């Protein structure tokens, strides 16, 4: 079953974050991942949620998403993201 990874990002080093953005796409491909939303404008319809940056990724399964996140291929990009931004990340299985 497919899965989405939802990421809320607050960037404190925009220049360094650009390096992260360049490295990430290549790390997704071997795991069947793709961007669904990548930093597009958001508008809150309910509640107090207004992310600075929202990213949604799609993978063939939760297992593939978790394999990507913990992969050596993504580790360099992830280290950059940790230095350039604060993030919240969820993986969620789709309905089918």
């Amino acid at each position: 079953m497919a899965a989405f990874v939802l990421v809320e990002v607050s960037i404190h080093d925009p220049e360094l974050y650009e390096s992260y953005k360049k490295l990430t796409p290549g790390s997704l491909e071997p795991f069947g991942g793709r961007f669904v939303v990548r930093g597009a404008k958001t508008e809150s319809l309910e509640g107090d949620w207004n992310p600075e940056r929202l990213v949604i990724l799609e993978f063939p399964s939760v297992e593939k998403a978790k394999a990507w996140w913990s992969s050596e291929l993504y580790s360099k990009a992830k280290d950059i993201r940790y230095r350039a931004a604060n993030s919240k990340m969820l993986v969620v299985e789709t309905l089918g």
Side-chain angles (χ1 to χ4, degrees):
M1 208 170 293
F4 291 113
V5 172
L6 291 78
V7 190
E8 181 180 348
V9 185
S10 177
I11 302 164
H12 53 261
D13 188 335
E15 187 175 322
L16 184 57
Y17 194 80
E18 287 300 315
S19 298
Y20 170 77
K21 286 170 42 178
K22 291 176 185 172
L23 287 174
T24 302
S27 73
L28 296 170
E29 293 170 13
F31 300 92
R34 71 178 189 94
F35 287 102
V36 177
V37 173
R38 190 176 191 194
K41 182 182 175 187
T42 62
E43 180 181 344
S44 179
L45 298 177
E46 289 188 28
D48 185 21
W49 188 30
N50 191 17
E52 177 183 327
R53 181 176 178 83
L54 183 68
V55 177
I56 301 174
L57 307 167
E58 183 179 21
F59 288 89
S61 67
V62 169
E63 292 76 22
K64 288 282 191 181
K66 290 166 70 175
W68 162 76
W69 182 84
S70 62
S71 72
E72 183 67 32
L73 193 56
Y74 181 55
S75 66
K76 183 176 180 182
K78 188 175 13 175
D79 288 342
I80 292 170
R81 179 172 51 83
Y82 288 161
R83 289 183 286 143
N86 295 319
S87 305
K88 296 177 185 175
M89 187 179 294
L90 296 171
V91 62
V92 61
E93 191 171 64
T94 66
L95 292 175

